[in-house]
Amino acid sequence: MTFAIAPQIQHGGTDAGPVPAHDFSSNANPLGPPPLLLAAVMAADRERYPDPHYTALRERLGLAWGVSADRVLPCAGGAEAIRRLSLATLLAGGRAVWVPQPGFGDYAAAAQALGLEVLRYQSVAELCRGLRRDTLAWVCDPCNPTGTAFSPQDWLDLTLALQSSGATLAIDQAYEPLRLNGQGALPPVLAERAWRLQCPNKALGLTGVRAAALLAPAGEDSLREHAEAVAPSWVLAAEACALLQHWVSSETQTHLRRNKLTLQQWQLTQHAGLQDLGWQQGASCCNFWLARPPQALDLPALRALGIRVRDAGSFGLPGWIRLSIQPPQAQLAFFNALKALRRP
């Protein structure tokens, strides 16, 4: 078995350095966490180990998501879940991984580090044609960095391709909780046969708390056993346990529904302001989207003015940036900074 040294992942610019006054690079919820959930995270018992099997947590999440507790695999954030499922795929006999292009760099990096073949697709049709039994296919819905979503026809085509190929599907649903327009079209039959990554810390505005869960497909014993076997001991810290416990509470879900109404209004003003400045903007169903300035943007100069954005060149989209929705005062500072940089 040969392992490769994967190149360091570049997520569109460093997050090092002083905290910016206004951060459009992160797609975390700018309205912050629900008060009760935040209080639970802050009050988490750090003096002793959590249950290494996370029995109560898995039962609570399974009940909320309509799956048995043994199908819930706690993970230390989305990136750890991606690495673990990639390793489990290799151990179960997988040989290749399909990744979306553009898409999150960790899908490919995890596969490359294990010597798995990385196959890239730009359309659902291309993915469906290339599926085979020894492959893991990642899809992201809504998609990072575009903010676009799969249509009912996309899911139907993918369902049929999976049935004929026997490939393994993993759906990254990290951005589903802040879907602002429309509803997800994932059919129940496919949700039951796919791996699903739940990563709520972005929607909760708590990206510093690494907490996620992989939902294993119904009846998928071999790959699930590998994914459990390669998990580190006490994969979740006390804070992460508290976050996931309260993630599925009625209070948290009510908080997010209210957040969405506010974010929808902020999205309209931010989109209009960029349009007035001549920016090209992509369609999106969630709290971030791709945008292209009318001329090249001096990102270091913008950063010096207290504004951070996400360069989409790392996604294979040079000249574009990914922007998240931010409050009106941040938008005003952003627009004023852009105007200042355009002055001769």
Side-chain angles (χ1 to χ4, degrees), residues 7 16 34 37 58 61 71 158 224 234 248 280 287 292-293:
L37 183 145
R58 295 172 77 172
L61 294 178
R71 290 173 57 188
L158 190 52
R224 184 184 69 201
W234 293 286
V248 294
Q280 181 181 351
N287 68 315
R292 185 180 187 120

Side-chain angles (χ1 to χ4, degrees), residues 247-265:
W247 161 242
V248 294
S249 70
S250 59
E251 294 87 356
T252 295
Q253 298 308 310
T254 299
H255 177 89
L256 286 177
R257 284 193 292 270
R258 292 171 179 164
N259 281 183
K260 289 181 183 181
L261 296 176
T262 300
L263 292 172
Q264 286 168 347
Q265 294 302 313

Side-chain angles (χ1 to χ4, degrees), residues 28-343:
N29 187 346
L31 290 163
L36 291 178
L37 183 145
L38 179 60
V41 169
M42 298 300 292
D45 185 357
R46 300 170 176 87
E47 294 185 354
R48 53 188 53 82
Y49 290 110
D51 168 17
H53 303 294
Y54 302 101
T55 304
L57 175 62
R58 295 172 77 172
E59 289 176 351
R60 178 170 174 79
L61 294 178
L63 181 63
W65 293 330
V67 302
S68 60
D70 63 325
R71 290 173 57 188
V72 180
L73 280 61
C75 303
E80 190 270 324
I82 292 167
R83 297 278 175 165
R84 196 195 310 178
L85 188 56
S86 300
L87 178 54
T89 296
L90 176 66
L91 295 174
R95 293 293 176 265
V97 178
W98 279 99
V99 302
Q101 183 66 36
F104 185 38
D106 278 53
Y107 306 135
Q112 289 172 342
L114 296 171
L116 293 165
E117 182 183 5
V118 176
L119 305 168
R120 304 178 189 274
Y121 67 91
Q122 296 184 347
S123 67
V124 175
E126 184 180 3
L127 173 60
C128 290
R129 289 193 299 269
L131 291 177
R132 61 179 194 258
R133 182 170 294 278
D134 63 350
T135 59
L136 167 68
W138 280 101
V139 301
C140 188
D141 183 69
C143 179
N144 176 27
T146 64
T148 56
F150 276 47
S151 69
Q153 186 62 52
D154 290 334
W155 288 124
L156 176 60
D157 293 343
L158 190 52
T159 300
L160 296 175
L162 289 167
Q163 290 173 347
S164 61
S165 67
T168 300
L169 176 67
I171 307 173
D172 186 344
Q173 296 182 299
Y175 309 100
E176 180 64 36
L178 284 186
R179 185 188 290 262
L180 302 181
N181 304 302
Q183 294 182 335
L186 177 64
V189 64
L190 187 54
E192 275 292 286
R193 69 154 297 171
W195 286 83
R196 288 181 285 151
L197 174 55
Q198 309 293 309
C199 192
N201 54 7
K202 295 180 179 66
L204 298 174
L206 289 173
T207 54
V209 181
R210 307 308 298 161
L214 278 169
L215 303 188
E220 176 53 81
D221 295 327
S222 175
L223 190 54
R224 184 184 69 201
E225 289 171 358
H226 283 300
E228 289 186 303
V230 298
S233 300
W234 293 286
V235 64
L236 293 182
E239 296 91 339
C241 290
L243 183 148
L244 291 175
Q245 284 277 3
H246 285 264
W247 161 242
V248 294
S249 70
S250 59
E251 294 87 356
T252 295
Q253 298 308 310
T254 299
H255 177 89
L256 286 177
R257 284 193 292 270
R258 292 171 179 164
N259 281 183
K260 289 181 183 181
L261 296 176
T262 300
L263 292 172
Q264 286 168 347
Q265 294 302 313
W266 290 356
Q267 184 183 47
L268 293 174
T269 58
Q270 189 169 320
H271 195 281
L274 291 172
Q275 187 173 14
D276 289 343
L277 292 172
W279 284 52
Q280 181 181 351
Q281 299 178 79
S284 171
C285 69
C286 48
N287 68 315
F288 58 88
W289 64 95
L290 288 173
R292 185 180 187 120
Q295 50 267 326
L297 194 60
D298 188 340
L299 296 182
L302 187 64
R303 182 66 179 82
L305 294 174
I307 309 293
R308 182 160 63 194
V309 298
R310 186 67 80 194
D311 181 4
S314 62
F315 295 109
L317 298 168
W320 291 80
I321 63 173
R322 191 194 68 196
L323 290 171
S324 61
I325 300 171
Q326 295 299 318
Q329 62 271 26
Q331 295 182 26
L332 180 60
F334 183 30
F335 299 151
N336 287 339
L338 293 174
K339 293 172 184 176
L341 291 178
R342 290 173 59 177
R343 292 181 190 139

